[in-house]
Amino acid sequence: MTKKIFYLIDEEVVPDVYRKVIEVKKILSSGKVNQVTEAVKIVGISRGAFYKYKDYVFLSSNDQLGNIVTFSMFLDHTKGVLSATLNRLADFGCNVITINQNIPINDVASLTLTVDTKDMSISIEDVIEKVKELNGVCSLQILARE
């Protein structure tokens, strides 16, 4: 079997038919219409053109490029530390997906926190540095990045 090769191409040079195939896919996935026939009429391409390219044309965006980050943290077991940490992350555009905090041992709680960083206003390295500056944050490191 031959290895597939994919190309990322600037939208400015993508043929119009490819953009329209993507638009039909968006319309169908949104539920605005249920039939391909309706969606292609809205966009202005033939059903044949849609079916010819639908399995080969995909939209690539920053949403798909490693925006999910899981942090491992140790926080002092002090009122407001977790809240301050979450607020600081939100200030930088991180959107919390999951929080798993363990019972504090010796007044320190271990925590794993997964965030979506696609709307982040600063680099992940700067986020780590700024969060570590908060009172009560003992340690913070990236555990995983997808």
Side-chain angles (χ1 to χ4, degrees):
M1 186 171 178
T2 306
K3 180 179 174 182
K4 286 191 172 205
I5 298 173
F6 294 92
Y7 298 93
L8 290 177
I9 303 172
D10 190 308
E11 180 180 25
E12 291 183 26
V13 298
V14 171
D16 196 42
V17 68
Y18 296 162
R19 285 191 207 115
K20 289 182 177 187
V21 167
I22 295 295
E23 193 61 33
V24 170
K25 287 180 166 186
K26 285 181 184 177
I27 291 169
L28 291 170
S29 68
S30 74
K32 291 179 183 174
V33 298
N34 297 325
Q35 301 289 326
V36 170
T37 304
E38 296 172 78
V40 295
K41 279 184 186 177
I42 292 169
V43 173
I45 61 171
S46 69
R47 283 174 35 104
F50 174 73
Y51 283 113
K52 179 177 181 179
Y53 297 115
K54 76 176 183 71
D55 294 327
Y56 301 101
V57 179
F58 306 97
L59 184 62
S60 176
S61 68
N62 289 337
D63 297 1
Q64 300 166 337
L65 301 175
N67 293 313
I68 306 301
V69 176
T70 300
F71 295 109
S72 173
M73 308 172 74
F74 287 98
L75 304 177
D76 285 340
H77 181 56
T78 305
K79 181 176 160 184
V81 173
L82 177 58
S83 177
T85 302
L86 296 174
N87 285 332
R88 179 68 53 98
L89 289 167
D91 290 343
F92 298 133
C94 295
N95 186 23
V96 175
I97 299 172
T98 64
I99 301 173
N100 182 11
Q101 183 175 358
N102 295 310
I103 295 171
I105 298 173
N106 298 324
D107 286 327
V108 175
S110 66
L111 174 85
T112 55
L113 178 70
T114 303
V115 297
D116 185 341
T117 62
K118 73 178 175 202
D119 296 324
M120 242 177 26
S121 58
I122 62 174
S123 73
I124 196 72
E125 293 79 14
D126 288 342
V127 168
I128 292 169
E129 182 181 314
K130 299 289 186 188
V131 172
K132 280 183 173 180
E133 292 173 355
L134 292 171
N135 286 334
V137 175
C138 303
S139 71
L140 169 64
Q141 63 184 15
I142 295 176
L143 188 62
R145 191 168 193 173
E146 297 177 35

